[in-house]
Amino acid sequence: MKMTSTRMRDILKERLSNDKYHFRFNRKEDTLRIEWKETKQGLTLTLPNIIVKYNTRGETVIDEVVEHIEEALRMMNEHVELTGMEKYIYPVIRSTSFSTKTKAEKKLIHKDHTAETRIFYALDEGKSYRLIDEDLLQEAEWTGKHLEEIAMFNARSLSTDYKMDKVAGNDFYFIATQDGYDATRILNEAFLEEMKANMKGDMTVATPHQDVLIIADIQNETGYDILAQLTMKYFSEGRIPITSLPFIYEDKRLEPIFILAKNRPEK
């Protein structure tokens, strides 16, 4: 039987059955809104997007969507505090187009990183994490600087194990632990400097999406074309895309580069 928005709506309502939830189906926009009855906090699903994945991967997609929804709703309805949770706070990388406010209009704590990226801060809650907003910071009576110091300390404790592939005379290193903080490793300056010391050519770094960090030792012109293809592929496939532009790493600085086919990149 062909999957339709109406059928997907019914499946999700059945799987998420809870007398504390309210469901609202918008037939015109093909969306399903799920929210807590008491607080009206919730999330809106675009059903055709889920159906596309379902048609490719089958029932496992519904299992994943249900798990994400239940976790998101749980987090929305749970009061959290930063004090005492210091070891679970990490920086996360997002694109500059990522909203600096929550849907409830709360300002998220963030900091500029590169022309393409920003740093936000997250409280890890196991299966997922919550981005830290100004209200949480004020409740803890913390400064932004204090939050940053805690997060960066924890970022440096993340493992930096990688897999390496050699392609057309160029070395590509991949960190993809799936812990939610793979792109965060770009903030570990000691790790970047260690990698830089072992480079034969130009060191490039890429964060196409949240769950991968690519470091490349580019030793010939072909390497740039391969890097461009890699970053675009990962960017298009990522659950939380960041940027399709890689960076040149020089003098402890990251500069976005535009790679032109068969040419060295332009900064």
Side-chain angles (χ1 to χ4, degrees):
M1 185 185 299
K2 182 181 178 181
M3 181 60 72
T4 63
S5 293
T6 303
R7 186 171 170 228
M8 180 61 74
R9 174 202 65 186
D10 293 342
I11 290 172
L12 292 174
K13 286 179 69 173
E14 181 179 353
R15 292 284 301 273
L16 292 162
S17 179
N18 186 324
D19 59 10
K20 294 182 180 180
Y21 295 164
H22 174 70
F23 297 87
R24 187 166 63 251
F25 178 54
N26 186 319
R27 190 179 301 276
K28 183 178 179 181
E29 297 184 4
D30 248 358
T31 60
L32 178 64
R33 172 77 179 170
I34 309 161
E35 61 188 24
W36 290 98
K37 289 180 180 178
E38 187 175 339
T39 65
K40 306 298 182 186
Q41 286 187 304
L43 67 166
T44 302
L45 304 174
T46 302
L47 296 175
N49 292 353
I50 299 173
I51 292 171
V52 168
K53 295 179 185 177
Y54 174 85
N55 289 337
T56 303
R57 296 168 48 212
E59 293 292 328
T60 57
V61 169
I62 295 177
D63 294 338
E64 290 173 4
V65 168
V66 168
E67 182 180 353
H68 289 315
I69 293 169
E70 288 180 333
E71 183 67 10
L73 289 169
R74 180 191 68 77
M75 289 170 59
M76 288 176 191
N77 206 43
E78 182 178 72
H79 179 71
V80 298
E81 294 182 358
L82 300 182
T83 303
M85 302 295 286
E86 286 85 352
K87 66 180 180 179
Y88 301 109
I89 294 171
Y90 296 91
V92 290
I93 303 296
R94 292 291 185 268
S95 71
T96 50
S97 62
F98 190 84
S99 177
T100 57
K101 293 183 179 181
T102 68
K103 290 185 178 179
E105 292 298 307
K106 294 182 179 180
K107 292 183 179 179
L108 294 170
I109 306 299
H110 63 279
K111 179 182 178 181
D112 289 339
H113 178 230
T114 71
E116 299 294 319
T117 54
R118 285 196 183 110
I119 302 169
F120 290 78
Y121 300 93
L123 174 63
D124 192 286
E125 296 190 314
K127 291 182 179 180
S128 58
Y129 52 65
R130 180 193 304 262
L131 294 181
I132 295 172
D133 57 49
E134 285 187 348
D135 287 359
L136 282 174
L137 202 65
Q138 289 171 3
E139 286 176 17
E141 297 183 345
W142 289 4
T143 63
K145 184 66 175 175
H146 182 62
L147 174 66
E148 180 185 352
E149 289 173 350
I150 290 171
M152 291 302 294
F153 176 83
N154 292 334
R156 289 190 290 272
S157 72
L158 294 168
S159 70
T160 52
D161 296 336
Y162 53 74
K163 293 182 179 179
M164 194 268 275
D165 282 333
K166 183 178 285 290
V167 185
N170 302 276
D171 299 328
F172 293 86
Y173 304 85
F174 301 86
I175 294 180
T177 64
Q178 300 297 305
D179 63 0
Y181 306 103
D182 290 309
T184 292
R185 271 81 166 177
I186 199 174
L187 301 175
N188 187 338
E189 190 174 278
F191 170 59
L192 295 185
E193 284 295 295
E194 179 185 350
M195 295 298 290
K196 177 70 173 176
N198 291 297
M199 295 283 142
K200 303 182 192 74
D202 294 337
M203 177 169 166
T204 59
V205 187
T207 54
H209 64 69
Q210 170 187 281
D211 298 309
V212 68
L213 175 68
I214 303 171
I215 297 175
D217 185 355
I218 303 297
Q219 299 167 55
N220 55 51
E221 297 300 327
T222 303
Y224 285 107
D225 289 334
I226 295 169
L227 179 62
Q229 294 166 17
L230 267 178
T231 53
M232 183 55 72
K233 179 178 184 292
Y234 276 92
F235 178 75
S236 64
E237 294 176 351
R239 186 167 59 88
I240 302 180
I242 300 175
T243 176
S244 60
L245 292 181
F247 305 91
I248 283 278
Y249 183 72
E250 293 177 347
D251 300 323
K252 298 185 179 181
R253 295 185 61 187
L254 292 160
E255 293 289 345
I257 52 176
F258 298 87
I259 296 176
L260 309 176
K262 308 301 180 187
N263 289 294
R264 197 183 190 285
E266 293 185 354
K267 293 183 184 180

